[in-house]
Amino acid sequence: MSIAAGSYTLGPESGRLLVHTTRTGIGAKAGHDLTIEVTRWRGEATVAPSRSSVTVEIDAESLEVRKGTGGVKPLTSSDRQEIEKIVREKILHTARHPTITFRSTRVDGTAESFRVEGELSIVGVTRPVAVRGSVTEGRAHGSAVIAQSRWGIRPYSALFGTLKLSDEVEVRFDVSLGANQ
């Protein structure tokens, strides 16, 4: 399968951008592994024989907890709201850093297996990151693993440090490439 050359507009209307967290520490069984959806974002993928590129801009305040697995008790809507507040105020500091951006520096591979290298800016810090993915039936899907500490983010902890969010989070995407312009 090949991808038609052109520009593709990306965003919530074309697919999903999800963040998956896991927990660690002695108190891990009390917490939840989370699936968090980015609800406001936009991007563009340009496919060209000589130079393909990808850019994505995320509204850092638009992260919403969609699912929590594990834990001693089920995740309540109050829990979700509290987690979202902690993410905005204590992890991403969205009042000072309202956007997260990714800009590719290199795109390699084929539709069956591609790699996008780029610069990811979170909380005012920019670091390189690699994204792996593939295209199947007009949909691009893949992921990148982000170690929060590389951006100066201290993973969230609770219960006097016995429950911690793992440093590495996985960002997954599944988007339609049907909006060729």
Side-chain angles (χ1 to χ4, degrees):
M1 150 130 214
S2 64
I3 306 168
S7 291
Y8 298 86
T9 300
L10 309 174
E13 55 287 331
S14 66
R16 297 182 84 187
L17 189 55
L18 302 171
V19 179
H20 296 274
T21 69
T22 56
R23 61 218 141 104
T24 185
I26 298 168
K29 68 181 179 186
H32 298 86
D33 292 333
L34 301 174
T35 299
I36 301 170
E37 184 168 9
V38 179
T39 61
R40 292 186 305 273
W41 61 284
R42 66 178 186 265
E44 183 176 28
T46 300
V47 178
S50 59
R51 178 113 170 96
S52 295
S53 65
V54 178
T55 60
V56 175
E57 185 174 291
I58 293 168
D59 177 344
E61 290 204 354
S62 76
L63 279 68
E64 295 182 10
V65 176
R66 295 295 189 214
K67 187 165 100 177
T69 57
V72 175
K73 59 185 176 92
L75 200 61
T76 66
S77 69
S78 174
D79 294 335
R80 291 175 204 266
Q81 290 173 351
E82 182 62 22
I83 292 166
E84 291 165 5
K85 180 179 178 186
I86 289 167
V87 168
R88 285 191 307 273
E89 296 177 4
K90 297 184 178 183
I91 297 173
L92 295 178
H93 306 282
T94 60
R96 287 190 316 256
H97 307 287
T99 59
I100 297 169
T101 59
F102 174 80
R103 296 196 189 322
S104 65
T105 55
R106 180 182 177 132
V107 179
D108 287 320
T110 64
E112 290 77 27
S113 177
F114 63 81
R115 178 181 165 98
V116 178
E117 296 174 10
E119 299 288 325
L120 179 64
S121 297
I122 308 173
V123 297
V125 177
T126 302
R127 297 275 184 263
V129 69
V131 178
R132 295 188 178 280
S134 62
V135 177
T136 309
E137 298 177 5
R139 295 192 71 81
H141 43 89
S143 64
V145 175
I146 309 296
Q148 299 174 80
S149 57
R150 289 189 59 223
W151 282 263
I153 298 170
R154 188 168 164 220
Y156 178 75
S157 67
L159 301 175
F160 304 102
T162 60
L163 168 62
K164 302 176 194 173
L165 193 65
S166 297
D167 188 24
E168 291 187 341
V169 299
E170 183 181 26
V171 179
R172 295 183 194 161
F173 61 91
D174 180 359
V175 295
S176 171
L177 297 179
N180 190 353
Q181 300 171 348

